[in-house]
Amino acid sequence: MGTRATEAADESRTARHDWPVAATRWTQLTLAEDDPLHFDVDFWTGLMRDSRSNAVCVSAGGYIAYYPTRVPYHYRSRHLGDGDPFGALVAAARGLGMHVMARVDPHAMHADAAQAHPEWLARDAEGGPIEHWAYPGIWLSCAFTGYHREFVTEVAREIVREYDVDAIFANRWEGYAGISYSEDARRSFRDETGLDLPLKENDFTDPAWPAYLAWRRRKLSELVALWDGAVRDLRPHSRFIPNLGSLAARDLDRDLIRRHYPLFVVDKQGRSGIQPPWFAGRVAKRSRALFPDRPVVLITSVGPEHKYRWKDSVAPPEETKTWIVNGFAQGARPWFTKFNATVSDPRWVPAVVEAFNLHADLEPVLSGMEITAEVALLDPNRTDRPPTGSGGAAFADEDGFYQALVEARIPFELIADQALTPERLRRHKVLVLANADRLSDEQCEVIRAYVASGGGLVAAHESSLYDENGERRPNFGLADVFGTDLLTPARGPVKNNYISLMDEHPVNAGFGGATRIIGGTRLLGTRAREGARVPFRFVPDFPDLPMEEVYVRQAPDLPAVVVRQAPGGGRVVHLPFDIGSIFWEALQADHGRLIGNAVLWALGDEPEVTVRGPGLVDVAVRRDDGGIAVTLVNLSNPMTMRGAIRETLPLPAQTVTVRLPEGGRDVAARLLVAGTEVKVTADAGQAEVSVPDLGLVEVVHVSWGHS
């Protein structure tokens, strides 16, 4: 068995209660069953040291035990023998002064456990046990049975009791991802709701489905609380940390999360399909959108994330490095994972070491500064509600606005719709509703008061057209704020649609003399109220074939963009069409420019940070009383929208302008990555710095004193 804690170690552990804050760079090794035969402790110790990792997560048990467990039916690796690879890695990490997590995975069990405890198994609607989809002969577990409540609890307690660990990290802890019809699940659901389990997923016409979502959220949250209490009972500083992969923090009970989640570990290991590298930064923003005070850790795989599951392979180094860097630029602590301790392809090692060392070098300055932004994008929860309105892929509207804001170099944060409060909104000058179709009356009132007090608002598509239950309103819930009334519901998809530039306005500036630009595909008919202006109007439909018939027949009519100045000073832009989702689908530059124009006009003043120069750059802003740090992540590469990145294209000079506080003096600037002081020009309350060139990342730190 592993080493017992000594009295001295107990004293050391007493000081470890703050490990969720102190652990900022994570190495994870997920062992394969044959690793006890040949894994190299010295290699992994050296890598942890070279990468300046201060925390490690190592496979311990669950599906396979990598230590000499005594829990019945806890399957030991058949190659374990008298060895203890888990214990050896824990000792190596502790020798480097690192924090330690023990990884468990309870989503499947071996045949002996399944035969002895058939009640632990996930079952289909006919009551049959569900075999693992990828590896025959093992069986999926049901999270609502004694397997999770008792067996997993005892495994966690054994590890914490026998080894010097700070936490248990649970992968795939939800068990079977679908509806499990085990007897325990059936009974619990019936007892708590009076209903039978739904027969199919995502059927919102079945009253059992919404009830199931709420029940599942509650039961999984209770499991986390049970496990966390079980390990803390043995070691008060230890915690049980569930991996947030298919689940997100918003899918669990918020009160339990506050008590039992000291940090979030998010399992978005890389990009796949059509995804830009900024997805890594969105992980951090999305976690802070609901719980801004909790640290968030982003797991990065050293291999590609693809539906063909090449889990024992290596991604191009620049892809891995960019994913890590964009994540920590937006506040996600780096964590890399390697599946299988054998290193058959070492090309990932320098990329991880370089990215982690970048984080370590920047940490002394950035860790004490708060991430801030004048603009906030509402992040709606679309996972547990029926679709409404004119359709479109989940989050497509938000994806489009996110891309447009990155292209416009507008720093922004996310706010979860569950956290839409006056207190949260006061941190920002503009709120963006990409397609917040479902808003309650209370949420509408919060936004109404925000605009009345001077806040800016940009709202698109069907924002506020439905209440929180998906019931369509006869008019926008925020019609008075928008300055528009609904005439006709959304129609589409419409082909060959255009919007014409009308009276000159900052929102329709910069289109190079064009009199009309591409419009949308799902259009709402609206009427502008008195006092509102209409910078764009829809061109009435005309044919797209035959080509001889492709010409305008009628003058522009219905509003496509409405702007108004609210009495309290807030500026409002309403775009009653699917500009976000169609920009994400078609990536037409004019849509991105229109979104950027709308947000900058709603801001009503010069931004606190402006970054000018060529290329695609993701910007993050941090500040404290003594200065501001602007992080520039260069996403310009030949594989920006579909990985994997082979190279990052260096950018020429970038100019960063920041607003100085009143009384700011003795202004200085430093490039933290380059490690050099740079000239700063301070004039008229602003400081301007030139970044001579931009590789993958640079941080411009502008500091000042106070008069």
Side-chain angles (χ1 to χ4, degrees):
M1 184 61 68
T3 57
R4 295 271 184 180
T6 63
E7 184 176 342
D10 282 333
E11 293 177 1
S12 174
R13 282 195 302 276
T14 302
R16 292 193 202 132
H17 66 278
D18 64 344
W19 70 264
V21 175
T24 57
R25 284 176 298 281
W26 289 84
T27 291
Q28 181 186 355
L29 175 56
T30 303
L31 297 172
E33 184 168 13
D34 68 337
D35 279 332
L37 295 174
H38 46 65
F39 84 103
D40 185 345
V41 174
D42 291 340
F43 170 83
W44 291 100
T45 304
L47 178 58
M48 291 186 289
R49 181 178 55 248
D50 293 346
S51 64
R52 296 160 75 182
S53 296
N54 53 27
V56 67
C57 179
V58 181
S59 293
Y63 172 64
I64 291 180
Y66 294 98
Y67 69 96
T69 178
R70 288 196 289 262
V71 176
Y73 301 109
H74 191 199
Y75 176 90
R76 295 189 190 194
S77 165
R78 65 180 183 272
H79 303 293
L80 191 65
D82 296 328
D84 185 358
F86 171 69
L89 287 163
V90 170
R94 286 302 189 198
L96 296 174
M98 299 172 68
H99 305 284
V100 178
M101 272 190 190
R103 179 187 183 274
V104 299
D105 188 328
H107 85 281
M109 69 190 77
H110 289 79
D112 61 337
Q115 291 167 5
H117 289 281
E119 73 278 9
W120 288 352
L121 299 175
R123 295 185 177 272
D124 60 26
E126 287 72 42
I130 303 176
E131 195 172 20
H132 200 284
W133 67 92
Y135 188 57
I138 63 171
W139 304 88
L140 298 180
S141 64
C142 174
F144 312 113
T145 69
Y147 180 79
H148 278 61
R149 292 191 304 268
E150 297 154 14
F151 173 80
V152 175
T153 303
E154 186 50 43
V155 168
R157 286 176 62 85
E158 180 181 58
I159 294 168
V160 170
R161 184 173 59 245
E162 301 297 336
Y163 293 90
D164 188 11
V165 300
D166 298 303
I168 301 293
F169 173 74
N171 186 62
R172 293 186 179 268
W173 58 278
E174 313 97 316
Y176 176 56
I179 302 172
S180 170
Y181 297 90
S182 70
E183 186 54 41
D184 281 6
R186 290 178 186 269
R187 185 187 308 111
S188 173
F189 185 68
R190 191 180 303 114
D191 289 347
E192 294 190 26
T193 68
L195 301 169
D196 290 328
L197 288 167
L199 293 178
K200 62 180 181 177
E201 298 185 56
N202 297 314
D203 181 6
F204 284 93
T205 63
D206 181 351
W209 177 248
Y212 171 78
L213 289 174
W215 170 82
R216 185 173 186 267
R217 176 186 296 114
R218 184 170 61 254
K219 302 306 286 187
L220 292 177
S221 300
E222 290 171 357
L223 266 180
V224 173
L226 169 69
W227 291 329
D228 192 45
V231 299
R232 294 174 75 179
D233 181 56
L234 292 173
R235 296 182 189 266
H237 83 282
S238 293
R239 305 302 295 264
F240 192 101
I241 306 296
N243 185 1
L244 292 178
S246 59
L247 283 177
R250 62 175 41 186
D251 296 317
L252 300 169
D253 182 90
R254 291 182 67 185
D255 291 334
L256 283 171
I257 285 174
R258 287 191 181 95
R259 294 198 298 271
H260 298 285
Y261 279 66
L263 80 167
F264 299 126
V265 180
V266 184
D267 195 358
K268 174 60 176 164
Q269 296 182 19
R271 59 186 182 139
S272 58
I274 307 299
Q275 289 182 341
W278 54 249
F279 263 65
R282 186 162 75 171
V283 168
K285 293 183 181 183
R286 182 158 283 162
S287 294
R288 287 200 310 277
L290 192 57
F291 294 98
D293 61 331
R294 300 297 164 93
V296 56
V297 183
L298 172 63
I299 300 178
T300 300
S301 173
V302 303
E305 284 296 293
H306 199 279
K307 66 180 181 180
Y308 295 115
R309 303 279 296 171
W310 296 307
K311 302 309 294 182
D312 195 22
S313 62
V314 172
E318 197 67 17
E319 175 73 25
T320 301
K321 188 167 60 175
T322 302
W323 189 255
I324 293 172
V325 168
N326 188 250
F328 75 62
Q330 299 293 351
R333 298 174 176 186
W335 167 316
F336 82 87
T337 183
K338 171 70 170 68
F339 302 97
N340 190 324
T342 300
V343 181
S344 57
D345 185 344
R347 288 176 292 175
W348 58 272
V349 175
V352 166
V353 169
E354 181 180 350
F356 272 46
N357 274 273
L358 268 172
H359 181 268
D361 290 341
L362 297 171
E363 187 176 33
V365 174
L366 300 187
S367 63
M369 307 180 84
E370 180 185 5
I371 295 181
T372 182
E374 294 180 300
V375 176
L377 174 63
L378 191 70
D379 189 33
N381 180 11
R382 301 189 185 279
T383 60
D384 66 347
R385 53 184 57 180
T388 58
S390 55
F395 293 113
D397 292 282
E398 290 76 31
D399 290 343
F401 268 79
Y402 201 115
Q403 174 73 22
L405 292 172
V406 171
E407 288 190 21
R409 300 181 171 197
I410 298 174
F412 66 101
E413 285 287 281
L414 301 183
I415 297 179
D417 55 4
Q418 301 103 308
L420 188 63
T421 63
E423 294 73 25
R424 287 296 297 275
L425 282 178
R426 274 197 289 270
R427 304 179 188 183
H428 308 285
K429 292 186 176 180
V430 176
L431 175 65
V432 179
L433 310 178
N435 184 22
D437 49 354
R438 292 174 57 147
L439 292 173
S440 67
D441 290 343
E442 291 76 14
Q443 288 172 320
C444 288
E445 188 54 42
V446 168
I447 296 171
R448 184 174 290 109
Y450 171 71
V451 173
S453 65
L457 179 68
V458 175
H461 207 179
E462 296 177 311
S463 291
S464 81
L465 191 54
Y466 297 81
D467 68 14
E468 70 275 22
N469 299 313
E471 294 295 325
R472 184 170 167 271
R473 295 181 169 108
N475 199 355
F476 301 109
L478 291 168
D480 57 320
V481 180
F482 297 163
T484 54
D485 294 296
L486 182 70
L487 298 179
T488 58
R491 63 185 181 90
V494 176
K495 294 182 178 180
N496 200 38
N497 177 254
Y498 301 89
I499 57 177
S500 280
L501 285 72
M502 307 306 290
D503 296 338
E504 189 173 311
H505 190 276
V507 168
N508 60 24
F511 291 97
T515 58
R516 69 175 188 232
I517 62 174
I518 295 172
T521 64
R522 300 181 186 276
L523 323 176
L524 285 80
T526 64
R527 176 183 59 237
R529 293 189 178 187
E530 185 177 355
R533 295 180 61 183
V534 184
F536 288 89
R537 291 185 182 273
F538 288 116
V539 176
D541 295 353
F542 58 91
D544 66 300
L545 276 176
M547 296 307 297
E548 292 81 358
E549 300 292 345
V550 182
Y551 62 93
V552 175
R553 268 73 164 176
Q554 298 171 273
D557 53 7
L558 294 177
V561 179
V562 177
V563 300
R564 67 180 288 265
Q565 184 95 35
R571 293 181 172 187
V572 180
V573 183
H574 186 220
L575 305 98
F577 67 101
D578 59 338
I579 185 171
S581 61
I582 195 59
F583 180 53
W584 184 243
E585 178 183 345
L587 289 175
Q588 297 301 300
D590 285 346
H591 289 142
R593 177 178 292 277
L594 176 52
I595 291 172
N597 284 356
V599 173
L600 290 173
W601 181 79
L603 193 59
D605 197 359
E606 286 295 316
E608 67 171 352
V609 172
T610 302
V611 181
R612 302 188 304 277
L616 180 64
V617 177
D618 194 10
V619 180
V621 176
R622 291 169 171 82
R623 63 166 53 251
D624 58 18
D625 289 341
I628 189 167
V630 183
T631 302
L632 313 178
V633 181
N634 177 14
L635 303 182
S636 306
N637 64 81
M639 308 301 292
T640 297
M641 299 304 288
R642 184 182 180 114
I645 299 172
R646 277 74 153 167
E647 62 174 333
T648 295
L649 303 177
L651 295 179
Q654 308 286 312
T655 301
V656 177
T657 304
V658 303
R659 186 189 308 137
L660 296 174
E662 187 174 348
R665 59 180 178 81
D666 300 329
V667 181
R670 183 175 179 81
L671 304 182
L672 298 184
V673 176
T676 59
E677 305 291 331
V678 288
K679 180 182 177 181
V680 56
T681 303
D683 183 47
Q686 291 186 323
E688 185 172 286
V689 176
S690 177
V691 181
D693 52 67
L694 180 60
L696 176 57
V697 62
E698 186 54 88
V699 179
V700 181
H701 185 210
V702 179
S703 58
W704 51 74
H706 293 276
S707 58

